[in-house]
Amino acid sequence: FFLPVLKIFKKPVVCSVVTPAYQMPVLVKKFPYHVVVNNEQDGEFLKSKGFYRFSIIPPGINTSVIHSGDYSYDGGKFVLFYGSAPWVHSHFRKKGFDMLLDLVSERSEIRLVCLWRGVLYEEFLKKIKDAGVEKSVEVINTRVDVNQVLSRCHVGIVLAESADVAAAYPRSLLESL
């Protein structure tokens, strides 16, 4: 068995692949079950490898409630939205936060809006202060209407040094879009 724990299940097993299929080449060689992927690209990849036991079910997020905003610049600044906060110290580097602070300090026309989740909040505020970019970085550490925040931004970004750093659907709304 590809996943030995599946031996204990008596009913049919459905596996939903949340990592891009191309990152799981062993899946197409050894996996005996039907697989659910969430996009056409993964389905095409599986077919190209001779694996036909799959279905495509897109993510269940209603994207119709996310509206594009006014794309004029915010006081002459291009606004980046980042909605995936780190949960361990190494993620400041692995999720690109250190790089973004460098970018904002070097490029005065860029502003950064970060949606936070409380974890490492004070540490990030210190990094912002140490980088001297307090006026160019907004950190939202409360519950908010993401649509309202996105309407003030030009683009949403997710940076990751590797696939294991960005949580898969449905963990982070931005990452699932």
Side-chain angles (χ1 to χ4, degrees), residues 52-89:
Y52 297 96
R53 295 179 312 276
F54 70 90
S55 298
I56 300 170
I57 301 176
I61 291 180
N62 179 7
T63 57
S64 68
V65 299
I66 299 175
H67 307 285
S68 59
D70 174 11
Y71 288 102
S72 60
Y73 286 86
D74 176 13
K77 299 208 177 214
F78 186 77
V79 184
L80 304 174
F81 172 77
Y82 200 149
S84 180
W87 56 91
V88 294
H89 284 93

Side-chain angles (χ1 to χ4, degrees), residues 5 9 19 22 43 49 55 61 64 74 79 81-82 92 94-95 131 144 156-157 173 176:
V5 71
F9 295 111
T19 300
Y22 71 87
K49 299 298 182 188
S55 298
I61 291 180
S64 68
D74 176 13
V79 184
F81 172 77
Y82 200 149
F92 283 117
K94 290 181 176 184
K95 292 183 109 179
V144 293
I157 60 171
L173 172 63
S176 67

Side-chain angles (χ1 to χ4, degrees), residues 91-105:
H91 286 177
F92 283 117
R93 179 184 50 81
K94 290 181 176 184
K95 292 183 109 179
F97 285 97
D98 292 337
M99 180 186 68
L100 286 169
L101 293 180
D102 289 343
L103 174 71
V104 170
S105 71

Side-chain angles (χ1 to χ4, degrees), residues 10 15-16 22 29 40-41 58 64-65 71 83 86 91 100-101 114 119 125-128 134 151 168:
K10 304 294 182 211
C15 279
S16 180
Y22 71 87
K29 292 179 183 173
E40 295 286 338
Q41 296 85 354
S64 68
V65 299
Y71 288 102
H91 286 177
L100 286 169
L101 293 180
C114 298
V119 178
L125 293 180
K126 182 176 180 336
K127 283 179 171 282
I128 292 168
E134 301 95 333
S151 71

